[in-house]
Amino acid sequence: MSNKIEKVIYQAHAKSTGGRDGTTRTSDGLLDLKLAVPKEMGGPGGGVNPEQLFAAGYSACFIGAMKFIAGTQKIALPADTSIDATVGIGQIPAGFGIEVQLAVTIPGMERAAAEALVAKAHAVCPYSNATRGNIEVTITVV
């Protein structure tokens, strides 16, 4: 099975300058952020970091995948469905790596149904497909 995209339907563009101590801005200007190394990593803090951006992107994308699966199954996904995403960074033998934890909350949905929906969403989510086999991703239904 190939992971090559058959037809690109959207491309996001961002320009970062200065690395973890710089800035990042999307081409439309809707995202324009100061970046800073977190205090836990010896930096000053006071800015956004790549791990926060990854956590925000993965969690939002995963909810989109859940909505897609729910739609195909004619299931109503509650508007207050949420994901608390945690992205950790640390050393690995070849440099640095990340790990992800997604805590999914689907208010009012029976646990087994929620877990089945989450498993199917994990199979179609672009972030899940990009990270599968590369980093540890733990998903729990709260």
Side-chain angles (χ1 to χ4, degrees):
M1 181 171 131
S2 172
N3 286 333
K4 181 166 173 45
I5 296 174
E6 293 175 19
K7 180 182 177 190
V8 174
I9 55 175
Y10 171 75
Q11 291 181 322
H13 301 278
K15 182 176 185 176
S16 296
T17 305
R20 288 179 170 273
D21 291 312
T23 60
T24 191
R25 184 176 195 277
T26 55
S27 58
D28 60 10
L30 293 175
L31 183 72
D32 190 351
L33 301 171
K34 176 187 180 303
L35 302 172
V37 176
K39 290 180 181 179
E40 296 85 348
M41 293 176 66
V48 176
N49 62 66
E51 292 71 37
Q52 290 171 316
L53 294 169
F54 195 87
Y58 199 160
S59 59
C61 189
F62 200 91
I63 290 174
M66 289 169 44
K67 286 181 177 182
F68 172 78
I69 294 299
T72 65
Q73 297 180 348
K74 308 288 191 262
I75 297 171
L77 195 64
D80 55 348
T81 295
S82 64
I83 297 178
D84 286 322
T86 302
V87 173
I89 184 171
Q91 288 190 280
I92 60 173
F96 293 91
I98 60 172
E99 64 180 22
V100 175
Q101 298 167 8
L102 302 177
V104 180
T105 302
I106 308 173
M109 185 175 282
E110 193 270 326
R111 185 174 197 80
E115 288 174 348
L117 178 71
V118 165
K120 289 177 180 166
H122 189 43
V124 301
C125 175
Y127 275 72
S128 292
N129 286 329
T131 59
R132 187 170 289 111
N134 296 313
I135 67 170
E136 185 175 338
V137 176
T138 305
I139 304 173
T140 55
V141 174
V142 181

